[in-house]
Amino acid sequence: MSIQPAPEQPTSRLFEIEATPFGDSGLMLKAAAGTAEERQAGSRRLRELVFELKPHGLLDVVAGADSVLVEFDCLAVSHSQLAQTIRLAASGGGLPTAGASAAGRAAELFEIPVVVSEAFSPDLPGVADELGISQEAVLGILENTELSINLLASAMAPMMGSLPFPGQVSRCREPRTNVDPGSVMVAGTSAIIQPFPGPSGWKVIGRTPLTVCDIREDPATSYTPGDRVRFRVIPESEWDALEGRFLRAASATAAHAGRTAASPAAAPTSGGTPDGNH
């Protein structure tokens, strides 16, 4: 079914939803056409739409990179009924282009520093060999690609794609039982950051000193699906100055830096240092 956006919604576009039965109690939704980025943006909006709609019989919603699995009670609603309900809801609200986040706000940009070392990048040599390029080339692709956060994986981990690698990066043959928080990992052509210590089969090529998820913050993450990420490799000597800082959007970081620069410096105490210590 083709959905024509209303005239007052210039950011929406014709969007055809592909709905495929997934077992007796599942419906796989995705965009039937468009670029990879447009399909990912459509998937994010579909997920939000289903949560907002809460159609009869809904049990769960599982988001993928460019698809949404809707699980439902097959005794309460059929595949076709559920698909039609979602299509009608989408036709009324439209679906955004790739420039919007799932939260409905303009996409934010996050600049994430990464330290590369023997301890922080155990899989970098193997990834380079697998792709047939140098380690420097792998890091160059990581730094020079602006990635989109497609979804939040386990523990609010930001999953990003797509890296223009010359091939697919395989997962570890034996997953690690404990990967350090802040680890920057790749698999296929996607990247992800480990928020908390835990197991993973993704390949670790660096680590950020920033805290990407903090339950003491509200919200616990400052990013949402649809936001953009740029990685920047920094020397290990800068780790201590950044360690533990909460990841915030580049706009918020710049605003904070501006306020700090505009604040008058504290006047030195007579006979002492500028901070008042003698």
Side-chain angles (χ1 to χ4, degrees):
M1 175 180 178
S2 295
I3 299 172
Q4 182 65 40
E8 65 270 17
Q9 293 176 320
T11 58
S12 297
R13 63 177 59 190
L14 187 68
F15 190 92
E16 186 174 348
I17 298 174
E18 180 181 300
T20 306
F22 198 82
D24 292 336
S25 302
L27 188 68
M28 187 69 74
L29 303 175
K30 61 173 61 177
T35 65
E37 192 170 41
E38 287 170 343
R39 293 195 301 272
Q40 291 162 4
S43 171
R44 293 191 293 269
R45 179 60 188 132
L46 277 170
R47 176 180 177 275
E48 295 300 314
L49 185 147
V50 174
F51 274 127
E52 294 166 5
L53 182 62
K54 294 183 176 63
H56 179 63
L58 178 68
L59 297 178
D60 198 8
V61 180
V62 182
D66 60 359
S67 63
V68 177
L69 175 62
V70 180
E71 298 178 353
F72 61 94
D73 181 354
C74 62
L75 298 180
V77 64
S78 69
H79 291 91
S80 60
Q81 289 171 331
L82 182 60
Q84 182 68 1
T85 298
I86 294 170
R87 284 186 169 120
L88 288 172
S91 68
L95 291 166
T97 58
S101 73
R105 58 172 172 76
E108 294 276 13
L109 174 65
F110 291 82
E111 297 177 349
I112 302 180
V114 179
V115 172
V116 175
S117 67
E118 185 175 348
F120 292 169
S121 315
D123 298 319
L124 179 57
V127 168
D129 289 344
E130 184 176 5
L131 294 175
I133 57 178
S134 67
Q135 296 179 42
E136 292 76 16
V138 172
L139 297 175
I141 292 172
L142 182 71
E143 283 194 285
N144 294 322
T145 306
E146 187 171 288
L147 301 172
S148 175
I149 298 178
N150 295 330
L151 58 90
L152 303 187
S154 176
M156 304 295 285
M159 183 174 171
M160 297 155 277
S162 299
L163 287 161
F165 287 147
Q168 299 278 326
V169 177
S170 64
R171 298 201 181 197
C172 299
R173 290 185 178 180
E174 295 184 9
R176 292 182 173 87
T177 57
N178 190 46
V179 175
D180 290 317
S183 293
V184 177
M185 306 180 291
V186 294
T189 58
S190 298
I192 199 167
I193 303 174
Q194 184 86 345
F196 302 105
S200 179
W202 290 54
K203 292 186 174 175
V204 182
I205 62 171
R207 192 184 305 175
T208 179
L210 302 182
T211 298
V212 301
C213 183
D214 190 341
I215 60 174
R216 296 169 296 184
E217 297 283 341
D218 185 19
T221 65
S222 53
Y223 50 79
T224 64
D227 285 335
R228 314 290 293 183
V229 169
R230 288 196 73 96
F231 287 101
R232 176 172 57 90
V233 176
I234 62 171
E236 194 168 1
S237 59
E238 295 184 21
W239 178 277
D240 290 343
L242 297 172
E243 185 177 14
R245 291 189 186 181
F246 185 60
L247 173 64
R248 300 191 187 280
S251 59
T253 303
H256 175 74
R259 289 193 299 270
T260 302
S263 299
T269 303
S270 177
T273 60
D275 62 3
N277 294 325
H278 293 273

